[in-house]
Amino acid sequence: MSTNSGRESLLPPLWVMSSAVAIGSVWLALRLRELVVLLVVGYFIAYAIHPILDGLERRRVSRVLGFWIVALALLSLFALLGITAVPTLVDEFAKLSENLNSYLDVGRGKLGPLLERFQQYLPEPIRSSHNVEELVATLPATLSSVSSDTFKGIGHTVIGTLMSGYSRVLTLINLALLPFIVYYLAIDLPRIHGFFLNLFPLTQRSKVGAIFSEINGYVSAFVRGQFIVCSILFVLYAIGLGIVGVDLWLLLAFVTGFGNLVPYAGF
């Protein structure tokens, strides 16, 4: 008995061990931040489509087949958005470059009196009409000189900024691994939740399970409700904008419909 108490006295206090484990976990997460972010993103995607897979499973559709149905539906939607949006954006930019002179003439006619009225309040460099005319005159040539190489340069700049501080090769590998991670997490999500539930003591397992089940019910209902509302808005916007004849009707409907997930981002 004294030997066991002596061994227990050699152990550090519980708060020291808990702090060491927490610090070690944070350090490991920071060292493996790309992998941790990949797992978190994959889990949230799998959790988002989990109610759909459950609904298909209740209709005797396996989770594997249900996942591929959802994946093909999403890929078809994004492919349709790309096919309809990219050519229209290129065509609209070409039209803007061609008609910019007429737009500027209309702008001069509308805003000329206002500029003359407020010109005395402007700083001296901007007050000079010669500088303003030179700036306006160079706009059409500037926009006309923009080519696909410029768009590529902008894309490389944006990607480089977003990926700054990360290994580009490792990031591309992680993006390639994301669909596989989402697949395995979505297929085994109930089993994963059951595994973590079994880590709790047997006496507390039913209570913890009830709490997590209640939280999951509320979160799932919120996600499902938001998805239903955004889908209805997407369909309504698509029908309305398509009837009106807006060129980017599908892209605008998608952005404005599912943009309601973010406050103030919708129509």
Side-chain angles (χ1 to χ4, degrees):
M1 181 68 66
S2 60
T3 304
N4 292 334
S5 61
R7 289 179 180 177
E8 292 178 358
S9 63
L10 294 177
L11 294 176
L14 181 61
W15 68 270
V16 174
M17 298 178 62
S18 302
S19 301
V21 171
I23 293 173
S25 301
V26 172
W27 176 83
L28 185 62
L30 291 175
R31 297 293 295 179
L32 302 175
R33 60 183 181 276
E34 291 189 358
L35 182 59
V36 172
V37 170
L38 189 67
L39 290 174
V40 171
V41 172
Y43 175 80
F44 277 109
I45 296 175
Y47 183 79
I49 65 176
H50 176 66
I52 302 176
L53 299 182
D54 276 349
L56 292 175
E57 198 170 18
R58 286 193 294 268
R59 291 170 174 79
R60 298 183 180 180
V61 178
S62 64
R63 294 185 71 88
V64 176
L65 182 59
F67 175 84
W68 288 114
I69 292 174
V70 174
L72 289 176
L74 292 177
L75 288 176
S76 301
L77 177 61
F78 286 121
L80 184 60
L81 288 174
I83 293 173
T84 57
V86 173
T88 308
L89 289 175
V90 174
D91 184 60
E92 289 296 326
F93 186 81
K95 291 179 180 179
L96 175 63
S97 301
E98 294 174 359
N99 301 326
L100 185 60
N101 284 322
S102 60
Y103 295 156
L104 292 176
D105 291 336
V106 174
R108 289 193 195 98
K110 297 290 185 181
L111 300 177
L114 293 176
L115 290 177
E116 291 178 359
R117 182 180 303 178
F118 292 101
Q119 190 174 9
Q120 58 179 339
Y121 302 105
L122 297 176
E124 181 61 29
I126 302 177
R127 194 185 305 173
S128 175
S129 60
H130 179 70
N131 292 338
V132 175
E133 291 295 332
E134 284 185 353
L135 179 62
V136 173
T138 56
L139 284 177
T142 303
L143 285 178
S144 299
S145 63
V146 176
S147 60
S148 59
D149 295 334
T150 306
F151 286 111
K152 291 179 182 179
I154 294 174
H156 288 307
T157 303
V158 172
I159 293 174
T161 303
L162 293 177
M163 295 173 58
S164 60
Y166 293 88
S167 171
R168 296 188 178 185
V169 176
L170 185 58
T171 303
L172 294 176
I173 293 175
N174 289 339
L175 290 177
L177 290 175
L178 182 61
F180 299 97
I181 293 177
V182 174
Y183 171 78
Y184 287 109
L185 287 177
I187 298 303
D188 293 331
L189 197 61
R191 199 174 305 169
I192 294 172
H193 290 168
F195 169 78
F196 282 104
L197 182 61
N198 291 333
L199 297 178
F200 289 91
L202 187 60
T203 55
Q204 301 293 328
R205 197 171 297 171
S206 59
K207 182 178 180 179
V208 173
I211 294 174
F212 277 102
S213 177
E214 185 177 1
I215 294 173
N216 179 66
Y218 286 126
V219 174
S220 297
F222 174 77
V223 173
R224 185 165 55 250
Q226 289 294 318
F227 180 78
I228 292 173
V229 170
C230 292
S231 300
I232 294 173
L233 291 176
F234 166 68
V235 173
L236 293 177
Y237 288 143
I239 294 174
L241 296 175
I243 293 175
V244 172
V246 178
D247 291 333
L248 296 174
W249 60 276
L250 187 61
L251 179 62
L252 290 175
F254 181 81
V255 172
T256 54
F258 288 93
N260 285 276
L261 290 172
V262 182
Y264 306 107
F267 245 170

